Amino acid sequence: MGWWQAILLGIVQGLTEFLPVSSSGHLMIARELFGVEAEGFLDFTVMVHFGTVLSTVVVFWGVISSLLKGFFKFRYNDETDYVCKIIVSMIPVFVVGMFLKDKVEALFGDSLTTVAICLVVTAVLLMLSDMDIPGQIRRKSGRVAESSHRNGISYLQALVVGLGQAIAVAPGLSRSGTTIATGLITGVKRSVMAEFSFLMVLVPILGEQLLDMLKHAISGEAGMATGVGVLPLALGFISAFISGLFACKVMVALVKKSKLRWFAVYCAVVAAAIFIFA
């Protein structure tokens, strides 16, 4: 992998990790377009994911710090409630990651056709999230006020959003798009999902990458820098971090104020291009 390929792939990861268009799917597409060899690419993927996790921590540091301070007061306050709901949201992806990850990867594989199909699913979810289904149901039933939950999300909604995250292990199915869309479809307000969806994925992403590194070490495979090289890994990390800072801030603003249907159109167009040209 050349230095320019590492930078471009890092930018792709940083932008698409937060935009609802699937980072894993776009990394696979970019790898094919740039002619990057598969050897060592898992190591590179781990590194750029760490870059985007760090960018999330930086963007939400104020919120994370406040949550931790409130949580360690050991009282059931708003912060403890929020952290507990994040923990509940992580249960499905924990089960999949610990017990079903290999089976899921074997089921979906890593072909571009799989990516295209999952991009179509992402597009459908994003379109549904813009339809305000809970609002339509309330209006038809004559109910005006929304049911209120502490911190704007219930434990059941947190679990359902977590199920969306667990399903998003398939390549091409956007993690951010699936969690945000699932939350909006179940009735969570946009302003709440804009933060919850990004905070809930921090630990699972870190855990997933650390698990891959651990399996790497146990299998006795070569060190991380062997397959790709130290410079490409460093450049990929830096470019993913910088582009991730930008994309994270942009996506939070978009979720709060804008519709997601244009991302749905984009996912559908990319899927169609793969079906036609791949």
CSV table of all heavy atoms in Angstrom, one decimal, residues 25-64:
chain,number,residue,atom,x,y,z
A,25,GLY,N,-18.3,-0.9,3.7
A,25,GLY,CA,-18.6,-1.1,2.2
A,25,GLY,C,-17.8,-0.1,1.4
A,25,GLY,O,-17.3,-0.6,0.4
A,26,HIS,N,-17.6,1.1,1.8
A,26,HIS,CA,-16.9,2.0,1.0
A,26,HIS,C,-15.4,1.7,1.0
A,26,HIS,O,-14.6,2.0,0.1
A,26,HIS,CB,-17.1,3.5,1.5
A,26,HIS,CG,-18.4,4.1,0.9
A,26,HIS,ND1,-19.6,3.7,1.2
A,26,HIS,CD2,-18.5,5.0,-0.1
A,26,HIS,CE1,-20.5,4.4,0.5
A,26,HIS,NE2,-19.9,5.2,-0.3
A,27,LEU,N,-14.9,1.2,2.2
A,27,LEU,CA,-13.5,0.8,2.2
A,27,LEU,C,-13.2,-0.3,1.2
A,27,LEU,O,-12.2,-0.4,0.6
A,27,LEU,CB,-13.1,0.3,3.6
A,27,LEU,CG,-12.6,1.4,4.6
A,27,LEU,CD1,-12.2,0.8,5.9
A,27,LEU,CD2,-11.4,2.1,4.0
A,28,MET,N,-14.2,-1.3,1.2
A,28,MET,CA,-14.0,-2.4,0.2
A,28,MET,C,-14.0,-1.9,-1.2
A,28,MET,O,-13.2,-2.3,-2.1
A,28,MET,CB,-15.1,-3.4,0.4
A,28,MET,CG,-14.9,-4.2,1.7
A,28,MET,SD,-16.3,-5.4,2.0
A,28,MET,CE,-16.2,-6.4,0.5
A,29,ILE,N,-15.0,-0.9,-1.5
A,29,ILE,CA,-15.0,-0.4,-2.9
A,29,ILE,C,-13.8,0.4,-3.2
A,29,ILE,O,-13.2,0.2,-4.3
A,29,ILE,CB,-16.3,0.6,-3.0
A,29,ILE,CG1,-17.6,-0.2,-2.8
A,29,ILE,CG2,-16.2,1.3,-4.3
A,29,ILE,CD1,-18.8,0.6,-2.7
A,30,ALA,N,-13.3,1.2,-2.2
A,30,ALA,CA,-12.1,2.0,-2.5
A,30,ALA,C,-10.9,1.1,-2.6
A,30,ALA,O,-10.0,1.4,-3.4
A,30,ALA,CB,-11.9,3.0,-1.3
A,31,ARG,N,-10.8,0.0,-1.9
A,31,ARG,CA,-9.7,-0.9,-2.0
A,31,ARG,C,-9.6,-1.5,-3.4
A,31,ARG,O,-8.5,-1.6,-4.0
A,31,ARG,CB,-9.8,-2.1,-1.0
A,31,ARG,CG,-8.6,-3.0,-0.9
A,31,ARG,CD,-8.9,-4.2,0.0
A,31,ARG,NE,-9.8,-5.1,-0.6
A,31,ARG,CZ,-10.3,-6.2,0.0
A,31,ARG,NH1,-10.0,-6.4,1.3
A,31,ARG,NH2,-11.1,-7.0,-0.6
A,32,GLU,N,-10.8,-1.8,-3.9
A,32,GLU,CA,-10.8,-2.4,-5.3
A,32,GLU,C,-10.4,-1.3,-6.3
A,32,GLU,O,-9.7,-1.6,-7.2
A,32,GLU,CB,-12.2,-2.9,-5.6
A,32,GLU,CG,-12.7,-4.1,-4.8
A,32,GLU,CD,-11.8,-5.4,-5.1
A,32,GLU,OE1,-11.4,-5.5,-6.3
A,32,GLU,OE2,-11.6,-6.2,-4.2
A,33,LEU,N,-10.9,-0.1,-6.1
A,33,LEU,CA,-10.7,1.0,-7.1
A,33,LEU,C,-9.2,1.4,-7.1
A,33,LEU,O,-8.6,1.7,-8.1
A,33,LEU,CB,-11.5,2.2,-6.8
A,33,LEU,CG,-13.0,2.1,-7.0
A,33,LEU,CD1,-13.7,3.3,-6.6
A,33,LEU,CD2,-13.3,1.9,-8.5
A,34,PHE,N,-8.6,1.4,-5.9
A,34,PHE,CA,-7.2,1.8,-5.8
A,34,PHE,C,-6.2,0.7,-6.0
A,34,PHE,O,-5.0,0.9,-6.0
A,34,PHE,CB,-6.9,2.4,-4.4
A,34,PHE,CG,-7.7,3.7,-4.1
A,34,PHE,CD1,-8.0,4.0,-2.8
A,34,PHE,CD2,-8.2,4.4,-5.2
A,34,PHE,CE1,-8.8,5.2,-2.6
A,34,PHE,CE2,-9.0,5.6,-4.9
A,34,PHE,CZ,-9.3,5.9,-3.6
A,35,GLY,N,-6.7,-0.6,-6.2
A,35,GLY,CA,-5.8,-1.7,-6.4
A,35,GLY,C,-5.0,-2.1,-5.2
A,35,GLY,O,-3.9,-2.6,-5.4
A,36,VAL,N,-5.5,-1.9,-4.0
A,36,VAL,CA,-4.8,-2.3,-2.8
A,36,VAL,C,-4.9,-3.8,-2.5
A,36,VAL,O,-6.0,-4.4,-2.6
A,36,VAL,CB,-5.3,-1.5,-1.6
A,36,VAL,CG1,-4.6,-1.9,-0.3
A,36,VAL,CG2,-5.2,0.0,-1.8
A,37,GLU,N,-3.8,-4.4,-2.2
A,37,GLU,CA,-3.8,-5.8,-1.9
A,37,GLU,C,-4.5,-6.1,-0.6
A,37,GLU,O,-4.5,-5.3,0.3
A,37,GLU,CB,-2.3,-6.4,-1.9
A,37,GLU,CG,-1.6,-6.2,-3.3
A,37,GLU,CD,-0.2,-6.8,-3.2
A,37,GLU,OE1,0.2,-7.3,-2.1
A,37,GLU,OE2,0.5,-6.7,-4.2
A,38,ALA,N,-5.0,-7.3,-0.5
A,38,ALA,CA,-5.7,-7.7,0.7
A,38,ALA,C,-4.8,-8.0,1.9
A,38,ALA,O,-5.2,-7.9,3.0
A,38,ALA,CB,-6.6,-9.0,0.4
A,39,GLU,N,-3.5,-8.3,1.6
A,39,GLU,CA,-2.6,-8.7,2.6
A,39,GLU,C,-2.4,-7.5,3.6
A,39,GLU,O,-2.0,-6.4,3.1
A,39,GLU,CB,-1.3,-9.1,2.1
A,39,GLU,CG,-0.2,-9.5,3.1
A,39,GLU,CD,1.1,-9.8,2.5
A,39,GLU,OE1,1.2,-9.8,1.3
A,39,GLU,OE2,2.0,-10.2,3.3
A,40,GLY,N,-2.6,-7.6,4.8
A,40,GLY,CA,-2.4,-6.6,5.8
A,40,GLY,C,-3.6,-5.6,5.9
A,40,GLY,O,-3.5,-4.6,6.7
A,41,PHE,N,-4.6,-5.7,5.0
A,41,PHE,CA,-5.7,-4.7,5.0
A,41,PHE,C,-6.5,-4.7,6.3
A,41,PHE,O,-7.0,-3.7,6.7
A,41,PHE,CB,-6.6,-4.9,3.8
A,41,PHE,CG,-7.4,-3.8,3.5
A,41,PHE,CD1,-6.9,-2.6,2.9
A,41,PHE,CD2,-8.8,-3.8,3.8
A,41,PHE,CE1,-7.7,-1.5,2.6
A,41,PHE,CE2,-9.6,-2.7,3.5
A,41,PHE,CZ,-9.1,-1.5,2.9
A,42,LEU,N,-6.6,-5.9,6.9
A,42,LEU,CA,-7.3,-5.9,8.2
A,42,LEU,C,-6.6,-5.1,9.2
A,42,LEU,O,-7.3,-4.3,10.0
A,42,LEU,CB,-7.4,-7.4,8.7
A,42,LEU,CG,-8.0,-7.6,10.1
A,42,LEU,CD1,-9.5,-7.0,10.1
A,42,LEU,CD2,-8.0,-9.0,10.5
A,43,ASP,N,-5.3,-5.1,9.3
A,43,ASP,CA,-4.5,-4.3,10.2
A,43,ASP,C,-4.8,-2.8,9.9
A,43,ASP,O,-5.0,-2.0,10.8
A,43,ASP,CB,-3.0,-4.5,10.0
A,43,ASP,CG,-2.7,-6.0,10.4
A,43,ASP,OD1,-3.4,-6.6,11.2
A,43,ASP,OD2,-1.7,-6.5,9.8
A,44,PHE,N,-4.8,-2.4,8.6
A,44,PHE,CA,-5.1,-1.0,8.3
A,44,PHE,C,-6.5,-0.6,8.7
A,44,PHE,O,-6.7,0.5,9.2
A,44,PHE,CB,-5.0,-0.9,6.7
A,44,PHE,CG,-5.2,0.5,6.3
A,44,PHE,CD1,-4.1,1.4,6.3
A,44,PHE,CD2,-6.4,0.9,5.7
A,44,PHE,CE1,-4.3,2.8,5.9
A,44,PHE,CE2,-6.6,2.2,5.3
A,44,PHE,CZ,-5.5,3.1,5.4
A,45,THR,N,-7.5,-1.5,8.5
A,45,THR,CA,-8.9,-1.3,8.9
A,45,THR,C,-8.9,-1.0,10.4
A,45,THR,O,-9.7,-0.1,10.8
A,45,THR,CB,-9.8,-2.4,8.5
A,45,THR,OG1,-9.7,-2.7,7.1
A,45,THR,CG2,-11.2,-2.2,8.9
A,46,VAL,N,-8.2,-1.8,11.2
A,46,VAL,CA,-8.2,-1.6,12.6
A,46,VAL,C,-7.7,-0.2,13.0
A,46,VAL,O,-8.3,0.5,13.8
A,46,VAL,CB,-7.4,-2.7,13.3
A,46,VAL,CG1,-7.1,-2.4,14.8
A,46,VAL,CG2,-8.1,-4.1,13.2
A,47,MET,N,-6.6,0.2,12.3
A,47,MET,CA,-6.0,1.4,12.6
A,47,MET,C,-6.9,2.6,12.3
A,47,MET,O,-7.0,3.6,13.1
A,47,MET,CB,-4.6,1.5,11.9
A,47,MET,CG,-3.8,2.7,12.3
A,47,MET,SD,-3.4,2.8,14.1
A,47,MET,CE,-2.3,1.3,14.2
A,48,VAL,N,-7.5,2.6,11.1
A,48,VAL,CA,-8.3,3.8,10.7
A,48,VAL,C,-9.6,3.8,11.6
A,48,VAL,O,-10.1,4.9,11.8
A,48,VAL,CB,-8.7,3.7,9.2
A,48,VAL,CG1,-7.4,3.9,8.4
A,48,VAL,CG2,-9.4,2.5,8.8
A,49,HIS,N,-10.1,2.7,12.1
A,49,HIS,CA,-11.2,2.7,13.0
A,49,HIS,C,-10.8,3.3,14.3
A,49,HIS,O,-11.6,4.1,14.9
A,49,HIS,CB,-11.7,1.3,13.2
A,49,HIS,CG,-12.8,0.8,12.3
A,49,HIS,ND1,-12.5,0.2,11.1
A,49,HIS,CD2,-14.1,0.9,12.3
A,49,HIS,CE1,-13.6,-0.1,10.4
A,49,HIS,NE2,-14.6,0.4,11.1
A,50,PHE,N,-9.6,3.1,14.8
A,50,PHE,CA,-9.1,3.8,16.0
A,50,PHE,C,-9.1,5.3,15.8
A,50,PHE,O,-9.4,6.1,16.7
A,50,PHE,CB,-7.8,3.3,16.4
A,50,PHE,CG,-7.8,2.0,17.2
A,50,PHE,CD1,-7.0,0.9,16.8
A,50,PHE,CD2,-8.6,1.8,18.3
A,50,PHE,CE1,-7.0,-0.3,17.5
A,50,PHE,CE2,-8.6,0.7,19.0
A,50,PHE,CZ,-7.8,-0.4,18.6
A,51,GLY,N,-8.8,5.7,14.6
A,51,GLY,CA,-8.7,7.1,14.2
A,51,GLY,C,-10.1,7.7,14.3
A,51,GLY,O,-10.3,8.8,14.9
A,52,THR,N,-11.1,7.1,13.8
A,52,THR,CA,-12.5,7.6,13.9
A,52,THR,C,-13.1,7.6,15.3
A,52,THR,O,-13.8,8.4,15.7
A,52,THR,CB,-13.4,6.9,12.9
A,52,THR,OG1,-13.3,5.5,13.1
A,52,THR,CG2,-13.1,7.2,11.5
A,53,VAL,N,-12.7,6.5,16.1
A,53,VAL,CA,-13.1,6.5,17.5
A,53,VAL,C,-12.5,7.7,18.2
A,53,VAL,O,-13.2,8.4,19.0
A,53,VAL,CB,-12.7,5.2,18.1
A,53,VAL,CG1,-12.8,5.3,19.7
A,53,VAL,CG2,-13.5,4.0,17.6
A,54,LEU,N,-11.3,8.0,18.0
A,54,LEU,CA,-10.6,9.1,18.7
A,54,LEU,C,-11.3,10.4,18.3
A,54,LEU,O,-11.5,11.3,19.1
A,54,LEU,CB,-9.1,9.2,18.3
A,54,LEU,CG,-8.3,10.3,19.0
A,54,LEU,CD1,-8.4,10.2,20.5
A,54,LEU,CD2,-6.9,10.3,18.5
A,55,SER,N,-11.7,10.6,17.0
A,55,SER,CA,-12.4,11.8,16.6
A,55,SER,C,-13.7,11.9,17.2
A,55,SER,O,-14.2,13.0,17.6
A,55,SER,CB,-12.5,11.8,15.0
A,55,SER,OG,-13.4,10.8,14.6
A,56,THR,N,-14.4,10.8,17.5
A,56,THR,CA,-15.7,10.9,18.2
A,56,THR,C,-15.5,11.3,19.6
A,56,THR,O,-16.3,12.1,20.1
A,56,THR,CB,-16.4,9.5,18.2
A,56,THR,OG1,-16.4,9.0,16.9
A,56,THR,CG2,-17.8,9.5,18.7
A,57,VAL,N,-14.5,10.8,20.3
A,57,VAL,CA,-14.2,11.2,21.7
A,57,VAL,C,-13.9,12.7,21.7
A,57,VAL,O,-14.4,13.3,22.7
A,57,VAL,CB,-13.0,10.3,22.2
A,57,VAL,CG1,-12.6,10.9,23.6
A,57,VAL,CG2,-13.4,8.9,22.3
A,58,VAL,N,-13.1,13.2,20.8
A,58,VAL,CA,-12.8,14.6,20.8
A,58,VAL,C,-14.1,15.4,20.6
A,58,VAL,O,-14.3,16.4,21.4
A,58,VAL,CB,-11.8,14.9,19.7
A,58,VAL,CG1,-11.6,16.4,19.5
A,58,VAL,CG2,-10.5,14.3,20.0
A,59,VAL,N,-14.9,15.1,19.7
A,59,VAL,CA,-16.1,15.9,19.4
A,59,VAL,C,-17.1,15.8,20.6
A,59,VAL,O,-17.7,16.9,20.9
A,59,VAL,CB,-16.9,15.3,18.1
A,59,VAL,CG1,-18.2,16.0,18.0
A,59,VAL,CG2,-16.0,15.6,16.9
A,60,PHE,N,-17.2,14.7,21.2
A,60,PHE,CA,-18.2,14.5,22.3
A,60,PHE,C,-17.5,14.5,23.7
A,60,PHE,O,-18.1,14.1,24.6
A,60,PHE,CB,-19.0,13.2,22.1
A,60,PHE,CG,-20.0,13.3,21.0
A,60,PHE,CD1,-19.7,12.6,19.8
A,60,PHE,CD2,-21.2,13.9,21.1
A,60,PHE,CE1,-20.6,12.6,18.8
A,60,PHE,CE2,-22.1,14.0,20.1
A,60,PHE,CZ,-21.8,13.3,18.9
A,61,TRP,N,-16.3,15.1,23.8
A,61,TRP,CA,-15.6,15.0,25.1
A,61,TRP,C,-16.4,15.6,26.2
A,61,TRP,O,-16.4,15.1,27.3
A,61,TRP,CB,-14.2,15.6,24.9
A,61,TRP,CG,-13.5,15.6,26.3
A,61,TRP,CD1,-13.1,16.6,27.0
A,61,TRP,CD2,-13.1,14.4,27.0
A,61,TRP,NE1,-12.5,16.2,28.2
A,61,TRP,CE2,-12.5,14.8,28.2
A,61,TRP,CE3,-13.2,13.0,26.7
A,61,TRP,CZ2,-11.9,13.9,29.1
A,61,TRP,CZ3,-12.7,12.1,27.7
A,61,TRP,CH2,-12.1,12.6,28.8
A,62,GLY,N,-17.0,16.8,25.9
A,62,GLY,CA,-17.7,17.5,27.0
A,62,GLY,C,-18.9,16.6,27.5
A,62,GLY,O,-19.1,16.5,28.7
A,63,VAL,N,-19.6,16.0,26.5
A,63,VAL,CA,-20.7,15.1,26.9
A,63,VAL,C,-20.2,13.8,27.7
A,63,VAL,O,-20.8,13.5,28.7
A,63,VAL,CB,-21.5,14.7,25.7
A,63,VAL,CG1,-22.6,13.7,26.0
A,63,VAL,CG2,-22.1,15.9,24.9
A,64,ILE,N,-19.2,13.2,27.1
A,64,ILE,CA,-18.6,12.0,27.8
A,64,ILE,C,-18.1,12.3,29.2
A,64,ILE,O,-18.4,11.5,30.1
A,64,ILE,CB,-17.5,11.5,26.9
A,64,ILE,CG1,-18.0,11.0,25.6
A,64,ILE,CG2,-16.7,10.3,27.6
A,64,ILE,CD1,-16.9,10.6,24.6
